[in-house]
């Protein structure tokens, strides 16, 4: 055995000595989770898929009759790439829905860059509908509502933690719902890069997975930046930028009980009518402020470090002036009282990490990986 072979054996993965010697990585290969409904009883397939994917979306079949059909199929192969995930999904036609209640309750707070490989979907973001076709690239912020009506489809989704993408793409949340169409060369470049990562990803190990995925993320982000730089003034993209700026303004002042439309108008040069028009999809400025306060309160109620804080103090710290009003608003928004939310931080209607009697049949590790990103 030569010196190179001796060194390559017991060396600790990731050490500077091994890297400087240019030796092959000895770290464990990346984990790959393979969920599939193949092999399940046809009548059980959709119910099991629905429970699993509820980690992120509520789903339903396209028609009531489809619920009774036994021709449903779904597969989801997920590669764990350090702090990111790459998932390839192929499934029958269905409807995906992610609303405010689910966003608030599941705490999933990532960005998703999705390439449609086959099929078509009608997507809705901020009350605006778009059609996504094979070859299109879609940017999704999991902290904002979205819904999709899909034909039979196949897609690739790169899931990245918020902190990782925000460092590369300031105000990334403004791109929620942005579609890069397949006829643009820059879109094809980003799409082919994701396909390449999907092909090569399973061959990575613990040392190469994250740098490789981040290199792909850097290129895709550059494509998003170039594609979004040509929006002329007055387009929906500019309106979304203004809406995002106002949301940031509000977010920093949620503790102020006097926060409302007048505070916005005092800091942004616009008419009251235009402000109301911007927030119409959210039910108005006042309703949006209340929703954001409730989200903040829910997060604090579920935070173990805030366990000793009185519920009333949490409400008052977030701009509420009446404990009874806060309790009623909270119950309407989340279907449970503040005290219940504190005592039961994991709602029963969310997908279980280890469903009974399924572990030996289905690989559902991706659910736990998705929850753990950025933690």
């Amino acid at each position: 055995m030569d010196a190179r072979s001796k060194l390559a054996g017991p060396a600790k993965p990731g050490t500077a000595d091994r890297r400087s010697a240019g030796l092959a990585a000895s770290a464990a290969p990346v984990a790959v989770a393979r969920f599939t409904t193949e092999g399940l009883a046809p009548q059980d397939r959709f119910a099991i898929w629905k429970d699993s994917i509820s980690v992120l979306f509520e789903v339903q079949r396209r028609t009531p009759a489809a619920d009774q059909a036994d021709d449903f199929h779904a597969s989801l192969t997920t590669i764990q790439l350090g702090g990111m995930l790459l998932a390839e999904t192929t499934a029958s036609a269905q409807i995906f829905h992610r609303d405010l209640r689910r966003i608030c309750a599941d705490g999933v707070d990532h960005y998703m860059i999705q390439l449609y490989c086959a099929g078509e979907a009608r997507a809705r973001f901020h009350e605006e509908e778009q059609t996504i076709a094979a070859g299109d690239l879609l940017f999704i912020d999991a902290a904002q509502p979205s819904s999709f009506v899909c034909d039979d489809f196949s897609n690739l989704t790169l899931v990245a933690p918020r902190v990782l993408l925000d460092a590369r793409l300031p105000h990334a949340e403004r791109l929620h719902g942005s579609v890069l169409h397949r006829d643009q060369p820059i879109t094809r470049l980003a799409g082919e890069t994701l396909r390449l990562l999907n092909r090569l990803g399973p061959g990575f190990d613990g040392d190469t997975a994250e740098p490789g995925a981040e290199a792909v993320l850097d290129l895709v982000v550059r494509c998003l930046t170039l594609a979004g730089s040509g929006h002329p003034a007055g387009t929906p993209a500019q309106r979304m930028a203004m809406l995002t700026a106002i949301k940031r303004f509000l977010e920093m002042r949620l503790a102020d009980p006097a926060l409302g439309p007048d505070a916005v108008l005092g800091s942004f040069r616009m008419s009251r009518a235009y402000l109301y028009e911007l927030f119409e999809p959210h039910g108005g400025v006042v309703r949006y402020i209340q929703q954001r306060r409730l989200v903040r309160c829910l997060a604090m109620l579920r935070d173990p470090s805030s366990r000793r804080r009185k519920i009333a103090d949490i409400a008052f710290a977030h701009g509420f002036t009446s404990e009874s009003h806060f309790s009623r608003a909270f119950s309407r928004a989340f279907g449970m009282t503040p005290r219940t939310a504190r005592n039961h931080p994991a709602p029963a209607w969310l997908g279980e990490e280890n469903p009974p009697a399924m572990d030996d049949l289905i690989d559902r590790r991706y659910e736990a990986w998705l929850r753990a990103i950025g933690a």
Side-chain angles (χ1 to χ4, degrees), residues 13 124 126 131 154 196 220 315 363:
R124 181 174 290 274
H126 304 297
T131 298
S154 176
L196 181 62
V220 173
D363 186 348

Side-chain angles (χ1 to χ4, degrees), residues 126-128 144 238-251 254 259-265 268 270-293:
H126 304 297
E127 303 304 316
E128 295 183 4
Q144 300 186 55
Q238 188 183 51
R239 287 166 55 88
M240 185 57 63
M242 175 60 75
L243 179 63
T244 301
I246 297 172
K247 286 180 178 180
R248 285 183 176 274
F249 172 86
L250 296 173
E251 201 73 22
L254 292 176
L259 184 64
D262 289 340
V264 176
L265 294 173
F268 292 84
M270 65 176 64
S271 68
R272 187 175 295 270
Y274 183 62
L275 173 63
Y276 289 171
E277 181 183 338
L278 284 176
F279 278 85
E280 184 179 2
H282 299 281
V285 184
V286 174
R287 184 168 182 268
Y288 175 81
I289 292 171
Q290 177 169 286
Q291 287 176 338
R292 292 305 304 155
R293 285 172 170 160

Side-chain angles (χ1 to χ4, degrees), residues 264-336:
V264 176
L265 294 173
S267 299
F268 292 84
R269 299 180 61 182
M270 65 176 64
S271 68
R272 187 175 295 270
Y274 183 62
L275 173 63
Y276 289 171
E277 181 183 338
L278 284 176
F279 278 85
E280 184 179 2
H282 299 281
V285 184
V286 174
R287 184 168 182 268
Y288 175 81
I289 292 171
Q290 177 169 286
Q291 287 176 338
R292 292 305 304 155
R293 285 172 170 160
L294 290 170
V295 169
R296 289 278 196 91
C297 290
L298 176 64
M300 187 165 287
L301 286 168
R302 298 174 66 187
D303 184 352
S305 67
S306 300
R307 189 74 183 175
R308 295 187 178 181
R309 290 194 66 175
K310 293 181 179 179
I311 291 176
D313 291 343
I314 291 175
F316 297 150
H318 291 86
F320 288 95
T321 57
S322 164
E323 184 178 2
S324 60
H325 169 66
F326 163 71
S327 183
R328 288 194 300 272
F330 190 98
S331 297
R332 282 196 302 269
F334 304 122
M336 53 184 160

Side-chain angles (χ1 to χ4, degrees), residues 60-83:
Q60 64 188 82
R61 299 299 298 271
R62 290 279 296 269
T63 64
D67 287 336
Q68 308 303 320
D70 59 5
D71 59 348
F72 181 82
H73 69 87
S75 66
L76 197 161
T77 301
T78 307
I79 310 170
Q80 196 173 36
L81 299 168

Side-chain angles (χ1 to χ4, degrees), residues 5 34 46 54 57 59 71 82-83 87 128 150 170 185 207 216 225 245 255 258 285 289 309 325 338 341 344 356 364:
S5 301
R34 293 181 173 86
F46 181 71
S54 69
F57 290 103
V59 296
D71 59 348
E128 295 183 4
C150 301
D207 288 339
V216 171
T225 303
V285 184
I289 292 171
R309 290 194 66 175
H325 169 66
H344 301 86
R364 294 176 60 161

Side-chain angles (χ1 to χ4, degrees), residues 130-199:
Q130 302 193 56
T131 298
I132 318 296
D136 290 346
L137 198 70
L138 175 65
F139 187 88
I140 304 168
D141 180 353
Q144 300 186 55
S146 59
S147 63
F148 307 86
V149 180
C150 301
D151 298 333
D152 292 355
F153 72 93
S154 176
N155 62 34
L156 287 174
T157 305
L158 182 65
V159 185
R162 184 167 298 270
V163 64
L164 195 61
L165 203 52
D166 281 345
R168 292 167 163 79
L169 191 62
H171 311 303
E173 71 281 356
R174 298 180 184 179
L175 293 174
H176 178 58
S178 295
V179 178
L180 275 62
H181 293 289
R182 59 195 178 282
D183 56 353
Q184 301 180 45
I186 202 73
T187 304
R188 294 199 293 273
L189 174 61
E192 287 304 314
T193 304
L194 286 175
R195 293 177 194 269
L196 181 62
L197 180 62
N198 190 50
R199 288 197 298 270

Side-chain angles (χ1 to χ4, degrees), residues 78 80 82-86 107-111 158-164 366-375:
T78 307
Q80 196 173 36
M84 289 182 278
L85 302 175
L86 182 64
V108 175
D109 186 30
H110 319 318
Y111 292 116
L158 182 65
V159 185
R162 184 167 298 270
V163 64
L164 195 61
Y366 81 92
E367 300 170 28
W369 297 350
L370 189 61
R371 294 188 183 102
I373 288 182

